[in-house]
Amino acid sequence: MSSDLTRRAISLAAWMPALLMAGHSIAAPQQADPPTTPAATPAEFMVTQYCADCHDREMKKGGVDLDSIRSQPVTRHPEIWEEVIRKLRTRQMPPMGKPRPEESAYEAVLTRLETALDSAAAEHPNPGRTETIRRLNRAEYENAIRDLLALEIDAAALLPPDEASHGFDNVTAADLSPTLLDRYISAAQKISRLAVGAPGRRPGGDTFRIRPDLTQEEQVEGLPVGTRGGTLIPYTFPQDGEYEIQIRLTRDRNEHVEGMREPHELEVLLDRERMKLFTVAPPRSEGDHAKVDENLKTRIPVKAGPHRLGVTFLKNPSSLLETKRQPYMARFNMHRHPRTGPAVFQVSINGPFEASGPGDTPSRRRIFSCRPSHPSEEDSCAERILSTLMRRAYRRGISKADLQKPMEFYRTARAKEGFEAGIEMALSAILVSPQFLFRVEQQPTGLASNTVYRISDLDLASRLSFFLWSSIPDNELLETAIRGELSKPEVLDQQVRRMLTDRRSQSLVATFAGQWLHLRNLESATPDMRLFPDFDDNLRQAFRRETELFVENIVREDGSVLDLLKADYTFLNERLAKHYGIPNVYGSRFRRVALDRDSVRGGLLRHGSILTVTSYATRTSPVIRGKWVLENILGTPPPPPLPDVPALRDNTVSANLSVRERLAEHRANAACASCHNLMDPVGFALENFDAVGRWRTVEEGKSIDSSGGLPDGSKFEGVSGLEEGLLNRPEVFVSTLAEKLLTFALGRGVEHHDAPAIRKIVREAKAKEFRFSSLVLGLVKSVPFQMRKS
């Protein structure tokens, strides 16, 4: 050991015993000269070794010198000691390759530090401060319209995407630019017209285009057995009347209709009832391809309201191909894997023609809670309708003053076009009101700055509903809050459990899990077709659906969140089962499938979705996979590289080397080794899965080396060893999940003062086998969720 390291080791050994005194000063001894150091205890050795090896490096990255704060109480620098706790919890102290103390030493230091910080937090709670005003993001807006007006919309077609921060797109949703305001105004007008069923000046229309890499050889889920390809479109028809359905078929780069070798039958279905059957015949000559689908249009009578429009081909019997290898499932590219039959390119819906009125739709039943029988009753009925809508939309009680503006819009339109036109105009005004578009948390008047206070029951109801449903509170939750009963522990417990069992909690899977697990990145995943010719949009969507159903099952059955890491079941349809090599699964419907003991499938780390989004287009990436695990499972993302580290040049590494050998060359760069030594071993454990999640034991004629390790120094083989390593300390994963949930629930990043609350959530959840509901209940009852700083 160098003289400098020796000096620091002696100094640290002298103050280490004081660290074990919870809540007390970790002051250095008063001797003028360094004392003679006795044999270091394991705990002393651990921290000594960490500081000796990491201190200089952390200082270079803007860290803090632990020597400078050792004479002060732990609670004076909680942000620093919380980071130390995080490193100790995942055993990243001392660094990999250095001697390590006994587990009891780790636990002793952790217990003392955590006890001191948790006691201080209990005595002086710090809930942090959420934004006073937060705009509904796109998903919340779509769900709020659904629950307010009983109307399904596609917010992606109306509003631009939201930027993400801290991994979630509800964190930065605060501003409202003039351009975005225009989009909200336009959306409000379209939504209110559709909800009321107001007639348009002329027939409108929508076109739905199918992804070009979708294989259309088998049945689409939701369409009848015996059909293949096409699409199923949920669509709200604005009025009773006739609608024109027009279909276009896919073409290749020569503008020839693909797969047209014989006649095919194409049917149009409305709510699974056949409305029209076409016969599509091959062109008579090369120049006749434009005529193949020019007559694929029909008018059908439709009642106003939500329906499901299906367009699909009748399926010919599948012939068994006598080949030595399984044929490719993907068929959408004219050169590499051409279609065997025609496919639907797009479907257009135009109308209504000969409209006969708005009909009786779910949205009209929701809006028109009363019907005036005489003009003299219209104003009072309008007030009743608007009060009911505003109460839900604004998520609070409504006063006479609140009604003034919407009623002005109502009266203006009513005078020109009648009662329903007035309601439509007032509804548009409600949908662009800041009271609807923004979540505003009011603090009590007269509070001094930085005063901690408990949020109101109404704000608690909004936090709860936007957390679990990504939507507005329902009537029961809102009534409970207005009565001032929601903050009662037993009432809050009952409401949380009710909301978790409600179908609207599916949004927790789509919005939270979709971002936490990076499932949204699947849409942009495009594996190289030359290397992975069997990848198509069918497989892409199957990947996502498997993971969503897997997470949803944990939520629905209130299972242990540890099952996310290791399970003996998954959810498959035929397409995904064939990709995984799992037999006896047929059809497009997803179902729960029990796995054999020796199966390579199961927990999240074995899902094709996660394995694909953590790979490059041409190969796997142990670095990306390892970083994903560190960030989303262990909660310890690697630090950013130092600013003066030069970029690595891939062309200096031989292309003939395996991925493991290439990364070994990279780790030879000392500036990169500190991070890659953490990430790479984790990613190596997943090398048996290729870039699209298939299992493999050989790569380019060489056996796969899937030996890996964790930052705690443990070594293992393959994904099974990685899962066991993660489950050896389940609190680490559960803490990470709790942090992600808290970030999503509060719409802000987790800070050091949230750590005591997270530890409490995890401790209480452990007593209940880490069931999902115990995590949610602990979070909802926590200081950051129920309190706020002025």
Side-chain angles (χ1 to χ4, degrees), residues 485-502:
E485 297 177 357
L486 184 58
S487 54
K488 296 179 179 178
E490 66 280 3
V491 176
L492 184 61
D493 187 288
Q494 183 269 329
Q495 288 294 327
V496 170
R497 294 184 185 277
R498 177 185 70 87
M499 295 174 72
L500 283 174
T501 59
D502 191 281

Side-chain angles (χ1 to χ4, degrees), residues 396-534:
R396 58 175 175 78
I398 300 300
S399 66
K400 285 286 186 181
D402 293 319
L403 275 168
Q404 287 180 0
K405 275 294 181 184
M407 285 299 292
E408 287 179 14
F409 284 101
Y410 157 78
R411 292 188 180 99
T412 301
R414 172 187 171 276
K416 296 179 180 179
E417 301 179 62
F419 175 75
E420 292 197 359
I423 296 297
E424 178 194 338
M425 180 64 75
L427 177 57
S428 294
I430 292 171
L431 296 183
V432 294
S433 168
Q435 299 291 328
F436 173 67
L437 290 180
F438 289 88
R439 294 169 54 190
V440 182
E441 293 190 340
Q442 302 281 2
Q443 70 182 43
T445 57
L447 284 184
S449 180
N450 290 324
T451 301
V452 173
Y453 68 93
R454 189 171 295 276
I455 62 174
S456 69
D457 277 36
L458 284 171
D459 286 339
L460 181 59
S462 282
R463 283 194 179 189
L464 195 56
S465 65
F466 282 103
F467 170 36
L468 298 180
W469 291 346
S470 292
S471 185
I472 56 178
D474 64 359
N475 281 325
E476 180 176 337
L477 184 63
L478 194 57
E479 280 287 350
T480 305
I482 290 174
R483 293 195 305 266
E485 297 177 357
L486 184 58
S487 54
K488 296 179 179 178
E490 66 280 3
V491 176
L492 184 61
D493 187 288
Q494 183 269 329
Q495 288 294 327
V496 170
R497 294 184 185 277
R498 177 185 70 87
M499 295 174 72
L500 283 174
T501 59
D502 191 281
R503 62 174 179 81
R504 284 168 286 191
S505 64
Q506 291 177 351
S507 65
L508 194 60
V509 176
T511 55
F512 168 73
Q515 295 180 84
W516 167 43
L517 301 176
H518 298 186
L519 300 184
R520 292 184 177 182
N521 294 354
L522 275 171
E523 291 301 312
S524 58
T526 54
D528 191 306
M529 286 198 304
R530 294 167 298 179
L531 299 175
F532 307 102
D534 214 21

Side-chain angles (χ1 to χ4, degrees), residues 46-100:
M46 174 186 63
V47 178
T48 299
Q49 192 71 35
Y50 166 73
C51 291
D53 287 274
C54 298
H55 170 67
D56 288 340
R57 179 165 58 87
E58 293 300 321
M59 282 292 288
K60 292 176 183 177
K61 295 181 181 179
V64 176
D65 183 358
L66 291 180
D67 276 339
S68 67
I69 63 170
R70 64 187 176 88
S71 61
Q72 302 170 21
V74 172
T75 53
R76 187 170 296 179
H77 300 281
E79 67 279 7
I80 299 174
W81 291 111
E82 288 293 357
E83 185 60 28
V84 171
I85 288 172
R86 185 181 293 270
K87 298 286 187 183
L88 291 175
R89 181 64 66 190
T90 55
R91 305 304 190 257
Q92 292 187 29
M93 292 184 182
M96 295 176 64
K98 300 297 182 181
R100 290 179 175 269

